[in-house]
Amino acid sequence: QITLKESGPTLVKPTQTLTLTCTFSGFSLSTTGVGVGWIRQPPGKALEWLALIYWDDDERYSPSLKSRLTITKNTSKNQVVLTMTNMDPVDTATYYCAHRTPITMVRAFDYWGQGTLVTVSS
Amino acid sequence: EIVMTQSPAALSVSPGEGATLSCRASQSVSSSLAWYQQKPGQAPRLLIYGASTRATGIPARFSGSGSGTEFTLTISSLQSEDFAVYYCQQYDNWPPALTFGGGTKVEIK
């Protein structure tokens, strides 16, 4: 059974760096083909993909946010960490981590965490 | 970056009726298209990938079609649990990005 759970601060100040941790179970990030991504959703708005890391340490980022994002993995702890620098109130959103389906060539997400709401405010 | 446009933004449907949701890509994404369902306060659920393949456990009343730039999600005979927001997502343009549409809200009429 695959589960994911996001953790991190619920409130950050503008200009601060956000660090979110995704702790998962039911799969290993050392298995070929496995990936974990981050997706966010501002209140009442659509989903936005942020980043994705693969079993082989390949990292991919949203072009519009690439300069602010870093995604890393700790295979032994079953965790993926996302950092986002220079936070702004427009970054207020629910942040989800998700398991990329292992189906070959399909970059969609079949298991999602419950999400964590991050508010950016002074 | 490929832009995904969904229409309509909202759709009112009576239980038992069918619904057709559209998703258009600003350039061809082949069949690299997924659909998700999201209910209030919940994470999205993967319904369809490869434009037309149902994900594990998804009822047969959900079907996807299309390729290139035009895609459709059809829900036959809506059940109460189907009223939700639906998002399409392309994964063909890689790199640089995975992109989601703006969503279609299916409401009870």
Side-chain angles (χ1 to χ4, degrees):
Chain A
Q1 178 189 4
I2 291 176
T3 65
L4 305 97
K5 187 172 184 179
E6 307 85 354
S7 59
T10 57
L11 178 67
V12 297
K13 290 179 167 44
T15 76
Q16 286 187 335
T17 294
L18 171 68
T19 299
L20 293 172
T21 300
C22 175
T23 303
F24 57 84
S25 63
F27 66 95
S28 172
L29 249 180
S30 61
T31 301
T32 299
V34 175
V36 172
W38 286 94
I39 302 98
R40 71 178 179 180
Q41 185 173 39
K45 296 188 177 180
L47 300 164
E48 179 184 21
W49 171 72
L50 301 177
L52 177 56
I53 190 164
Y54 287 97
W55 81 100
D56 60 358
D57 292 320
D58 187 16
E59 303 165 23
R60 303 288 174 169
Y61 297 98
S62 166
S64 61
L65 294 167
K66 182 180 173 64
S67 63
R68 299 174 54 204
L69 296 173
T70 302
I71 188 170
T72 60
K73 66 182 178 67
N74 185 323
T75 304
S76 61
K77 289 186 176 181
N78 282 351
Q79 291 182 332
V80 171
V81 175
L82 181 76
T83 60
M84 179 180 290
T85 61
N86 194 25
M87 294 292 285
D88 183 271
V90 299
D91 296 313
T92 294
T94 295
Y95 287 75
Y96 296 99
C97 64
H99 172 267
R100 175 235 172 192
T101 174
I103 300 167
T104 303
M105 300 301 291
V106 177
R107 285 173 289 272
F109 301 100
D110 56 357
Y111 292 92
W112 294 62
Q114 64 190 24
T116 185
L117 175 62
V118 177
T119 301
V120 184
S121 175
S122 54
Chain B
E1 180 177 322
I2 293 179
V3 176
M4 306 301 291
T5 302
Q6 292 186 240
S7 62
L11 188 60
S12 293
V13 184
S14 299
E17 292 185 342
T20 301
L21 287 63
S22 296
C23 176
R24 174 176 293 178
S26 59
Q27 64 189 72
S28 178
V29 297
S30 185
S31 294
S32 300
L33 192 285
W35 289 94
Y36 298 84
Q37 176 194 67
Q38 187 179 33
K39 297 178 182 179
Q42 297 185 15
R45 177 173 72 144
L46 178 64
L47 298 176
I48 300 282
Y49 62 87
S52 61
T53 302
R54 281 188 299 277
T56 302
I58 302 303
R61 63 180 181 272
F62 291 93
S63 63
S65 63
S67 66
T69 62
E70 300 284 342
F71 300 89
T72 299
L73 175 69
T74 301
I75 314 169
S76 63
S77 186
L78 268 100
Q79 308 297 302
S80 58
E81 62 266 28
D82 299 335
F83 293 95
V85 179
Y86 293 83
Y87 293 96
C88 61
Q89 177 226 320
Q90 69 83 17
Y91 51 87
D92 181 70
N93 183 238
W94 182 266
L98 309 176
T99 47
F100 289 89
T104 292
K105 184 176 184 179
V106 178
E107 303 171 310
I108 299 176
K109 188 173 183 179

